[in-house]
Amino acid sequence: MEEKDEQILQTADALREDIRRAEKEQRKIFGKGIALGALMTLALCLLVFFVIPVVQIKRAENNLQQASEQNDELLSPAVESKLERLAAAIDTYYYEDVDEEDLIQGLYKGLLEGTGDTYSGYYTPEEYESLMISAKSSLSGIGAVLQQDPDTMQVTVVHVYEGSPAEKAGILAGDSIVQVGDIRSNTMELTKLVTYIRGDKGTKVHLKIYRKGETGYKEFDITRDIVDVPTVSGQMLENGIGYIMIVEFGDKTAEEFADTVDDLTEQGMTSMIVDLRDNPGGMVDSVTKILDQILPEGVTVWTEDKNGQKKEYTSDAASMDLPMAVLINENSASSSEIFAGAIRDYEYGTLIGTKTFGKGIVQTIRQLADGSAIKLTTAKYFTPNGENIHGEGIKPDIKLEYEYLDPDGEQYDMKYDNQIQKAIEVLSK
């Protein structure tokens, strides 16, 4: 036993010497401190407890070696040399002067783009500040909800708020935004693009729009204004059926939903339609708070990262005992799919419409010390029954393509909306 302990001590001493050497040689390599710190902790545990098997030491050494090789490749002398040559070429041959800080920010952005993930990205301090505004209920902008196709990067208007600058200018749901000022919309991730659409009250933004069925492009100069963005609206229909539309899941949506339910209940609501068509999603905390109001005790959604770490969102025992129909379509994404998936798995309502978008991954935004930030896809999410719908979407219980039954009508009226009428039919049985 003493001989075995002596071998472990020798292994630990050798490991500590390797770590000291790695620290000295690789001190400047990005991220090495984390790996070395972890192995130092491992070495200390060996010295104090004498119980960690040699195989675990070997595994830690392998992890260190792999991390070292990855960082060596990322920040190798060859890479640094090439960056210097590229910078020199820009300085020598590019037709205009370029701000060095812009090049540095471009390096950071390029590193995140290297993941190949449309949903991950780097934000300058200014971009991050603007990004955080988007979760607020009041902001200065044009008053439209946008969605972006992750493959084509096409940006589509999915909802225009009543009385907003966008509505007054003539923007319609279904319009495709081709250009914002001088920026082609398909060259930028949506959360960054909207920072150029928003702006100070009274200033203007120029949009180039493609409208299906019309030739050429339409161009609009829209004057920005403070837009009070209600995310939930509701009204009573026939037979005690309440209709609630959620256009996105923001920081106040759960509160607005509860207030709308209370109001409709006072008016005699005995069943409910929840309309999530064209809802692009939003905050996970927002949708899970609403599901907590609706569903009985249990898990409403759970996430899992690449290390197998799980996080569960749950509902308490209080619930709504109301028959429910949920309207979904191909533009119902992210948090909308969390809602639809939980209602389906708990068999708490009927899904009506067409298959949803299929975004079953979670992004986390982390601010850095200098005020900049990164957004990374950090986990997959799963419905209560364990289904990850990324790239698949959620199929409705009743498949029904949208059709407006009064094509000659100049204004929308839900009595001609075939999907709403189907929901009324289902809830009236």
Side-chain angles (χ1 to χ4, degrees), residues 42 71 87 112 141 166 190 272 294-295 308 318 329 341 379 389 391 414 416 420 423 427-428:
L42 178 58
N71 289 329
L112 272 296
L190 181 58
M272 179 168 51
I294 297 172
L295 297 176
N329 66 7
I389 53 84
M414 65 173 58
Y416 298 115
I420 290 180
L427 294 175
S428 298

Side-chain angles (χ1 to χ4, degrees), residues 232-234 243-244 255-265:
V232 180
S233 60
Y243 170 82
I244 298 178
E255 180 182 343
E256 292 176 2
F257 180 82
D259 290 342
T260 303
V261 168
D262 289 344
D263 179 55
L264 295 179
T265 300

Side-chain angles (χ1 to χ4, degrees), residues 17-285:
E17 183 61 28
D18 287 343
I19 293 171
R20 294 193 191 100
R21 188 180 302 110
E23 281 184 313
K24 183 176 180 180
E25 294 176 353
Q26 305 294 335
R27 191 178 303 276
K28 295 183 180 181
I29 295 178
F30 174 77
K32 181 64 67 60
I34 296 175
L36 291 173
L39 286 174
M40 282 296 291
T41 302
L42 178 58
L44 289 172
C45 289
L46 279 166
L47 290 170
V48 174
F49 298 108
F50 304 101
V51 295
I52 299 180
V54 174
V55 65
Q56 293 188 11
I57 299 174
K58 292 299 183 182
R59 186 181 299 120
E61 289 176 334
N62 290 336
N63 290 339
L64 173 60
Q65 182 64 31
Q66 291 175 5
S68 176
E69 290 173 354
Q70 291 174 353
N71 289 329
D72 283 345
E73 184 176 349
L74 182 62
L75 297 175
S76 67
V79 171
E80 292 180 356
S81 175
K82 186 169 184 177
L83 286 174
E84 291 174 358
R85 293 198 302 273
L86 292 174
I90 292 172
D91 185 54
T92 303
Y93 301 113
Y94 190 67
Y95 79 110
E96 288 183 345
D97 291 333
V98 179
D99 191 311
E100 185 176 276
E101 181 61 26
D102 290 340
L103 293 178
I104 293 172
Q105 297 297 329
L107 285 174
Y108 301 149
K109 290 178 183 291
L111 183 63
L112 272 296
E113 288 175 4
T115 64
D117 177 21
T118 305
Y119 300 106
S120 295
Y122 169 84
Y123 300 88
T124 66
E126 295 76 20
E127 289 171 342
Y128 174 71
E129 182 179 358
S130 183
L131 177 66
M132 290 297 96
I133 294 175
S134 65
K136 303 300 181 183
S137 294
S138 295
L139 50 88
S140 180
I142 66 171
V145 179
L146 309 179
Q147 187 171 69
Q148 186 174 50
D149 186 296
D151 297 322
T152 66
M153 301 292 282
Q154 177 179 309
V155 175
T156 303
V157 178
V158 296
H159 183 77
V160 178
Y161 290 105
E162 184 177 355
S164 67
E167 184 190 56
K168 293 175 181 177
I171 301 295
L172 302 177
D175 286 348
S176 295
I177 297 180
V178 178
Q179 197 163 309
V180 178
D182 296 328
I183 302 170
R184 299 283 297 182
S185 63
N186 61 359
T187 64
M188 188 175 294
E189 200 259 344
L190 181 58
T191 53
K192 296 180 183 179
L193 184 69
V194 296
T195 65
Y196 295 92
I197 297 176
R198 291 193 298 266
D200 295 335
K201 178 181 178 180
T203 61
K204 291 186 177 182
V205 57
H206 183 80
L207 299 183
K208 181 183 285 188
I209 299 292
Y210 169 74
R211 184 168 294 166
K212 188 176 181 180
E214 300 188 14
T215 58
Y217 296 108
K218 291 181 173 293
E219 304 204 24
F220 300 85
D221 286 306
I222 304 176
T223 301
R224 302 178 177 101
D225 200 352
I226 301 299
V227 181
D228 186 18
V229 181
T231 58
V232 180
S233 60
Q235 68 181 87
M236 283 298 298
L237 306 180
E238 58 192 71
N239 300 328
I241 299 173
Y243 170 82
I244 298 178
M245 180 173 67
I246 306 175
V247 297
E248 61 182 327
F249 293 93
D251 61 339
K252 294 183 179 180
T253 305
E255 180 182 343
E256 292 176 2
F257 180 82
D259 290 342
T260 303
V261 168
D262 289 344
D263 179 55
L264 295 179
T265 300
E266 290 180 1
Q267 297 181 50
M269 180 173 68
T270 56
S271 59
M272 179 168 51
I273 298 172
V274 178
D275 192 345
L276 299 180
R277 294 175 298 180
D278 299 323
N279 182 323
M283 302 166 64
V284 174
D285 285 345

